[in-house]
Amino acid sequence: MTHKLDLAFSALADPTRRAILAMLLEDDMAVTDVADPFEMSLAAISKHLGVLTTAGLISQEKRGRVKWCKLEPDALREASVWMQAFGQMGALDLDDFEAFLAAQLPDS
């Protein structure tokens, strides 16, 4: 369990990855569409997507010649339960979390 939490929190520590998660709240996206708003190479975005995939926060699948990214909705449940154990947070409010992630989106 600790390794899984480490991966999730490490992935969430980066603002680019949080912005990517916010984008994926809306719908599945092709990797090239995920990369569009960022001023970095497709290779750099792919590395960020790899971290998110390894942490289980997103999944990626190839459809034809296009690789698509999808948010895994239950991915943060374990982290939420862990944080609740400290009594510092209530249950994960997905509306609040969505607002937080939306605030992380880069200016277009």
Side-chain angles (χ1 to χ4, degrees), residues 2 10 36 49 70 79 101:
T2 302
S10 178
D36 278 347
L49 293 173
K70 175 185 176 188
L101 287 176

Side-chain angles (χ1 to χ4, degrees), residues 21-97:
L21 290 177
M23 292 166 54
L24 293 173
L25 276 171
E26 299 298 318
D27 201 2
D28 298 359
M29 296 178 75
V31 170
T32 53
D33 294 333
V34 170
D36 278 347
F38 299 98
E39 294 184 13
M40 62 179 72
S41 68
L42 187 56
I45 290 295
S46 291
K47 286 182 182 181
H48 283 295
L49 293 173
V51 171
L52 291 169
T53 301
T54 299
L57 300 177
I58 68 167
S59 58
Q60 296 184 64
E61 73 172 308
K62 199 157 187 175
R63 299 179 199 162
R65 295 188 318 184
V66 179
K67 190 177 246 186
W68 287 81
C69 302
K70 175 185 176 188
L71 185 68
E72 290 300 324
D74 293 330
L76 292 173
R77 186 173 315 280
E78 191 173 333
S80 175
V81 169
W82 182 84
M83 289 184 286
Q84 288 175 41
F86 291 94
Q88 301 298 316
M89 298 183 62
L92 179 65
D93 182 329
L94 292 180
D95 290 332
D96 287 345
F97 186 64

